[in-house]
Amino acid sequence: MDNCLFCKIIKGEIPSIKVYEDETVYAFNDIEPQAPVHILIIPKEHITSAADITEENSGYVAHIFEVAAKIAKEQGFSDGFRIVSNCGDSAGQSVKHLHFHLLSGRDFTWPPG
Ligand code: 5GP
Ligand code: ZN
């Protein structure tokens, strides 16, 4: 999608610090980390949000969780992490390309604010 920040990051038009990449998924460090580890994992196909997950594209979500577990194992934080996807303005979604925040390295409270 032409005017999408994360599509531009995937294409390399905007620089990012890559953590993982394969044919369908890209993971990179968040520019404004909310924890010592703050990685964004996104499908390369433009999907606007979690509200747009369908039977056809839900495989990306399963794969993203696989990738998250792999990154956690490789980076040594399998014992404690949080995965968050904000969907829509009221939930605080600022970039309208489906993304999963992978956070670790500190304690997290529940319920979230
Ligand atoms: P949201 O608020 O939509 O759930 O998450 C969007 C995330 O994208 C935020 O955590 C924000 O810091 C991150 N972000 C926004 N612009 C950029 C950017 O240009 N580069 C990177 N690496 N992260 C960004
Ligand atoms: Zn996009």
Side-chain angles (χ1 to χ4, degrees):
M1 213 199 192
D2 282 353
N3 218 11
C4 169
L5 176 69
F6 286 175
C7 283
K8 286 181 183 168
I9 284 180
I10 291 161
K11 284 188 256 172
E13 293 171 8
I14 292 173
S16 65
I17 297 171
K18 178 163 80 171
V19 175
Y20 174 89
E21 181 174 17
D22 64 28
E23 265 184 32
T24 60
V25 163
Y26 188 68
F28 56 106
N29 285 336
D30 196 292
I31 205 167
E32 212 176 301
Q34 302 302 315
V37 175
H38 189 168
I39 295 163
L40 298 170
I41 312 178
I42 64 178
K44 286 187 171 175
E45 181 179 318
H46 181 89
I47 297 167
T48 303
S49 79
D52 299 291
I53 294 165
T54 62
E55 235 180 289
E56 284 69 42
N57 64 25
S58 61
Y60 293 136
V61 181
H63 185 51
I64 282 168
F65 273 73
E66 255 181 75
V67 167
K70 184 179 157 75
I71 293 170
K73 202 170 176 186
E74 279 172 8
Q75 296 197 8
F77 60 84
S78 296
D79 58 330
F81 60 87
R82 179 172 284 184
I83 296 176
V84 177
S85 186
N86 299 318
C87 177
D89 292 332
S90 64
Q93 184 184 7
S94 59
V95 179
K96 302 298 191 285
H97 180 128
L98 177 66
H99 53 281
F100 292 83
H101 299 259
L102 173 60
L103 301 143
S104 187
R106 67 168 172 86
D107 291 338
F108 299 104
T109 55
W110 190 263

